[in-house]
Amino acid sequence: MNIFIITHSLTGGGAERVAINLANGLAKRGHAVTLYTDLHYPVTYQPDDHVRVYPLCRNKSHKLIKWLHAIRIIRKGIKEEHPDAIIGMMHLCSLIGRTAAAFLSVPVVLTIHHAVGHRKIRYSWITRFADQWMPMLFPCVTVLSERDKQFYHRRKNIMVMYNPLTFPPVSHIPPKEKIILAAGRLSAVYIKGWDLLIQAWSMIANQYPDWQLVIVGGGSDEDENIIQKMLHERNVSPQTLLAGYQQDILPWYQRAAIFVLSSRSEGQPMVLLEAMSQGCAPIATDNDNRTQEIITASSEGIICQTDALSIARALSRLLADSILRTQLQQGAVLRSFRYSSEQVVKRWEHLLESLTKPIHQ
């Protein structure tokens, strides 16, 4: 198949990582893949040599002008390349693809990468409006969990599609250090639950002086200062490292014995799945009952309530029990195979083939 993928950039971010993983995975399976993205941003996620990368716009300009140029560029590409399908990453890129493909008989898939209708998070009215009404414009919409699919219980064009893993699951658990790892944008304090994690760590850190909490994630100096202030106020600065943004996070996954997801809201947390694939024993907040679709058994990880005390209790349980840590590390790796790039790309192939058959018959 000939497939177009549209993403805002290749710089950081979960949806951007999904875009490059999907593009690379489809290309490795022999499909022609063209990736449209804004190349004015730094490229931190590298495309496969067989993936063609085209710019969404020629220069940095006003957003409206930029996206009008993008529609024109993609429409020209559609007329020249005749793709079988287009995949848009999140609302805006999907809408650009849908507009560019108007009257050209090319199916466009809208992909939603956040938790839809989350009961504990109030999204902007624009996001809520887009979640509710944009699916009417597309032949297929992908969401990240069965919980999200329930939000669209009356729509038949909604499909659960997992995000593909960046790294293949390990065959053997690598040597682990006494590191508790967390990862995410520092600026998203409330969403990522940094306040909860730091409070939880302060409750138990002095009981485990040889353990260290490592937070990997990018942000401005102001963002880092906010986190540092929290650490200082909770007296856990000496046992905590802010490692900053890591273009290659794999070594941290391989070193860490435990991974903690303290988020109040996630679509499908890639960092959790990546950590599980590398043998980290996972602790994750319930995320409005979405996490139980990833950690499905007590042998795969610990799901806790979204509060500091629950996170502290789960941490303390794992820190004190090396046998349990080892069991969860092994169970997490086995569970992560469900999200391997090969498995997810096959699901995408099946979906795209079902969309294109009526067109070619």
Side-chain angles (χ1 to χ4, degrees):
M1 285 185 288
N2 185 4
I3 304 162
F4 283 9
I5 297 177
I6 307 170
T7 184
H8 178 261
S9 72
L10 297 178
T11 305
E16 290 80 3
R17 182 179 288 235
V18 171
I20 200 67
N21 290 347
L22 181 58
N24 290 348
L26 287 167
K28 287 176 182 177
R29 288 183 61 82
H31 301 286
V33 180
T34 301
L35 189 64
Y36 284 92
T37 188
D38 190 340
L39 295 175
H40 293 101
Y41 293 94
V43 175
T44 55
Y45 300 144
Q46 294 298 324
D48 183 271
D49 291 340
H50 295 95
V51 175
R52 297 181 300 177
V53 180
Y54 290 159
L56 270 176
C57 51
R58 297 186 182 88
N59 50 55
K60 289 184 177 182
S61 55
H62 186 275
K63 286 186 178 180
L64 178 59
I65 297 174
K66 169 184 171 179
W67 295 123
L68 288 174
H69 284 168
I71 291 170
R72 182 178 179 183
I73 289 170
I74 294 169
R75 188 170 181 83
K76 182 174 183 290
I78 294 171
K79 290 181 177 180
E80 293 176 351
E81 302 290 338
H82 306 289
D84 296 293
I86 299 171
I87 302 170
M89 291 294 146
M90 300 189 292
H91 293 121
L92 182 57
C93 290
S94 299
L95 185 60
I96 287 169
R98 181 67 181 84
T99 306
F103 308 111
L104 295 180
S105 300
V106 179
V108 181
V109 180
L110 162 64
T111 67
I112 298 178
H113 291 270
H114 60 266
V116 181
H118 199 291
R119 293 180 299 181
K120 299 177 183 178
I121 298 295
R122 185 70 171 175
Y123 295 115
S124 69
W125 72 267
I126 296 177
T127 299
R128 285 183 280 121
F129 180 85
D131 284 345
Q132 186 70 52
W133 299 109
M134 274 187 60
M136 298 175 62
L137 304 175
F138 296 83
C140 182
V141 179
T142 67
V143 294
L144 296 172
S145 71
E146 293 294 335
R147 179 76 174 176
D148 295 318
K149 187 177 181 179
Q150 291 173 11
F151 180 80
Y152 299 106
H153 61 281
R154 294 182 180 179
R155 299 194 185 279
K156 297 181 179 180
N157 63 332
I158 309 298
M159 179 174 182
V160 176
M161 184 65 72
Y162 305 127
N163 291 333
L165 277 171
T166 306
F167 317 111
V170 295
S171 55
H172 302 284
I173 306 297
K176 295 296 185 177
E177 301 175 28
K178 292 185 176 181
I179 292 174
I180 304 162
L181 182 65
R185 291 174 290 119
L186 297 185
S187 60
V189 174
Y190 184 78
I191 296 293
K192 298 300 180 183
W194 298 134
D195 55 328
L196 302 178
L197 178 59
I198 292 169
Q199 184 182 354
W201 183 224
S202 72
M203 295 176 181
I204 62 170
N206 61 355
Q207 301 173 41
Y208 305 96
D210 50 347
W211 282 82
Q212 182 183 42
L213 172 65
V214 176
I215 300 176
V216 172
S220 65
D221 291 341
E222 182 181 358
D223 297 330
E224 185 172 338
N225 288 338
I226 291 172
I227 303 297
Q228 290 285 13
K229 183 179 179 182
M230 290 182 184
L231 295 170
H232 179 73
E233 290 175 347
R234 296 287 182 177
N235 298 315
V236 288
S237 295
Q239 281 181 257
T240 308
L241 171 65
L242 297 185
Y245 173 75
Q246 301 287 315
Q247 185 167 348
D248 183 11
I249 195 175
L250 180 59
W252 282 112
Y253 289 138
Q254 293 175 336
R255 292 172 60 188
I258 298 170
F259 183 86
V260 180
L261 184 81
S262 56
S263 300
R264 289 180 171 90
S265 175
E266 292 280 353
Q268 181 189 303
M270 287 302 298
V271 288
L272 174 62
L273 291 169
E274 290 169 353
M276 291 171 66
S277 77
Q278 302 306 303
C280 297
I283 296 171
T285 47
D286 65 339
N287 190 25
D288 200 17
N289 296 325
R290 287 169 171 81
T291 307
Q292 64 188 5
E293 295 184 34
I294 297 174
I295 300 174
T296 59
S298 59
S299 60
E300 299 166 354
I302 298 175
I303 301 175
C304 61
Q305 296 301 307
T306 312
D307 61 75
L309 182 58
S310 296
I311 297 170
R313 285 172 174 168
L315 271 172
S316 187
R317 184 182 169 196
L318 276 190
L319 292 172
D321 192 338
S322 61
I323 295 176
L324 178 60
R325 282 202 309 272
T326 300
Q327 290 174 344
L328 296 190
Q329 288 166 354
Q330 295 170 343
V333 172
L334 291 175
R335 176 60 181 166
S336 71
F337 276 95
R338 181 176 178 83
Y339 302 89
S340 68
S341 179
E342 182 179 2
Q343 293 297 321
V344 175
V345 169
K346 285 181 179 179
R347 286 173 62 90
W348 268 106
E349 287 177 328
H350 179 74
L351 169 61
L352 297 177
E353 286 170 0
S354 70
L355 291 176
T356 58
K357 278 180 182 177
I359 295 175
H360 295 308
Q361 289 177 348

